[in-house]
Amino acid sequence: MRNRFTSTQKREKTVVIIAFLAIPFLLLALFSFYPAAKLVQISFTNWSGLGAMEFIGLKNYQELLRNGELLQVLFNVSAYIVVMLIQVFLALVLAIILNQSSIKGRNFFRSWTFLPYMLNGVAVAFMFSIMYDYQRGPLNVLLRLIGLEQCAIQWISGSYMTNYSLGLIAMWRYTGLNMVIFLGALQSISNMYYEAANLDGASFIQKVRYITLPSIQTTFEILLLLGFNGALQAYFEPFVITKGGPGGITDTFITKSLKYAFDFQNFGLASALAVMLVLLILLVMGVCKGILLRKGRQSA
């Protein structure tokens, strides 16, 4: 009798577990797996958004590789990657500084550094579009007032450097978030190590090099991985401020996909570019994971 009750209880527990897992799995299949499969399917067609889909094989991918626009997009996105690396380093420096108990008003500075992340991305892009205006931008207006008009900055132009101007917006917005994550990692380090270092007469730089950085290495690597992912998917800044122009000099993967889909009604080409973005992200994640695993084996 007792064995029968135990088996019934196990069966009911299994049913409950399956029921709880089935709902999120169905939602994941409906809103993630199915759209992804549909995206891949459309990438092999020349679908215009209406009517039937005509299968054309790998022609969309060949077109992307042949016309050079994929290389242009990769070149544009590289500016965001460079700015992202600076952003992560700056966040680490701010976190180390604001983690010191001797800093007065450190909670105030933490809050104000984190505040930009809480703002809406489109609103931030509109705000910077005003700041970057050559005639009405606050910095250029100030330079003209003090007689330095020749030093006025052309933030948005037809050159590749415009991508760095757009990347600075993301740096201003996300540095605070990275700083808070670094702070969490720093505060998990035991003070025992720093006290022992003080007894040995270690300097501030030595404590950072031999205690702080090794202790937060995993957090640093994760933020780099997330940063690469975000840089490859840059969207708000070029879409709101430049629309990818002039002449595609500020196009990213997403803005270019939107142009293919809605300006040229070529959803097949847009889907192919989106698939290549996904593959590139998976490649970056795979490389980063391989590096992390290799370092983990070496440290073990």
Side-chain angles (χ1 to χ4, degrees):
M1 186 70 180
R2 185 176 178 180
N3 291 336
R4 186 182 302 172
F5 176 77
T6 303
S7 61
T8 303
Q9 192 177 31
K10 289 182 178 179
R11 216 170 20 246
E12 290 176 351
K13 185 178 180 180
T14 303
V15 170
V16 171
I17 292 174
I18 293 174
F20 273 99
L21 290 176
I23 295 175
F25 179 78
L26 288 174
L27 292 175
L28 187 65
L30 181 62
F31 295 106
S32 294
F33 297 153
Y34 174 74
K38 199 68 176 177
L39 180 71
V40 174
Q41 178 192 359
I42 296 174
S43 70
F44 295 111
T45 69
N46 64 350
W47 189 45
S48 64
L50 296 173
M53 298 182 186
E54 180 185 353
F55 180 79
I56 59 173
L58 297 174
K59 289 184 178 180
N60 287 325
Y61 295 94
Q62 293 171 352
E63 175 66 20
L64 288 173
L65 295 173
R66 185 171 57 249
N67 61 21
E69 293 188 348
L70 178 62
L71 293 178
Q72 178 66 56
V73 169
L74 284 171
F75 187 52
N76 296 343
V77 170
S78 66
Y80 292 87
I81 294 175
V82 172
V83 174
M84 179 273 298
L85 295 175
I86 299 173
Q87 166 198 308
V88 174
F89 176 76
L90 178 61
L92 176 60
V93 172
L94 289 173
I96 292 174
I97 293 174
L98 295 178
N99 193 47
Q100 306 300 312
S101 57
S102 58
I103 301 294
K104 294 182 179 180
R106 60 177 181 168
N107 290 333
F108 171 80
F109 289 111
R110 288 176 182 177
S111 301
W112 276 94
T113 306
F114 181 73
L115 183 62
Y117 175 71
M118 301 177 65
L119 302 178
N120 178 269
V122 176
V124 170
F126 272 116
M127 179 181 71
F128 271 88
S129 67
I130 297 173
M131 294 183 63
Y132 283 169
D133 189 280
Y134 184 74
Q135 299 297 334
R136 299 175 298 167
L139 180 59
N140 287 345
V141 169
L142 178 62
L143 290 173
R144 293 188 182 98
L145 286 176
I146 61 177
L148 296 175
E149 183 173 359
Q150 67 276 11
C151 297
I153 303 172
Q154 187 78 35
W155 297 97
I156 305 298
S157 63
S159 71
Y160 172 73
M161 297 304 295
T162 301
N163 291 294
Y164 287 97
S165 298
L166 299 176
L168 287 175
I169 303 175
M171 185 174 76
W172 179 83
R173 188 179 177 210
Y174 290 104
T175 297
L177 173 64
N178 290 346
M179 181 202 68
V180 169
I181 297 175
F182 275 129
L183 277 172
L186 291 173
Q187 292 173 4
S188 67
I189 304 173
S190 175
N191 287 328
M192 177 181 64
Y193 300 114
Y194 294 106
E195 292 171 358
N198 289 331
L199 291 175
D200 291 337
S203 65
F204 176 77
I205 300 297
Q206 288 174 325
K207 286 187 286 187
V208 170
R209 179 180 177 183
Y210 295 108
I211 299 176
T212 303
L213 294 181
S215 300
I216 63 171
Q217 180 179 347
T218 301
T219 302
F220 185 79
E221 291 166 345
I222 291 174
L223 287 179
L224 280 179
L225 176 60
L226 295 176
F228 275 110
N229 188 18
L232 291 173
Q233 298 185 67
Y235 167 60
F236 282 124
E237 299 83 6
F239 181 77
V240 173
I241 298 178
T242 64
K243 304 294 183 185
I249 198 66
T250 59
D251 262 325
T252 62
F253 280 97
I254 298 180
T255 60
K256 199 68 177 179
S257 296
L258 291 175
K259 284 183 179 179
Y260 284 147
F262 298 104
D263 291 348
F264 303 109
Q265 285 76 48
N266 194 337
F267 283 82
L269 197 61
S271 299
L273 185 59
V275 170
M276 297 186 81
L277 171 60
V278 173
L279 293 176
L280 182 59
I281 292 173
L282 291 176
L283 176 63
V284 171
M285 292 178 63
V287 171
C288 292
K289 186 176 180 180
I291 294 173
L292 293 178
L293 289 175
R294 186 173 60 185
K295 286 186 176 180
R297 285 194 294 265
Q298 290 175 352
S299 61

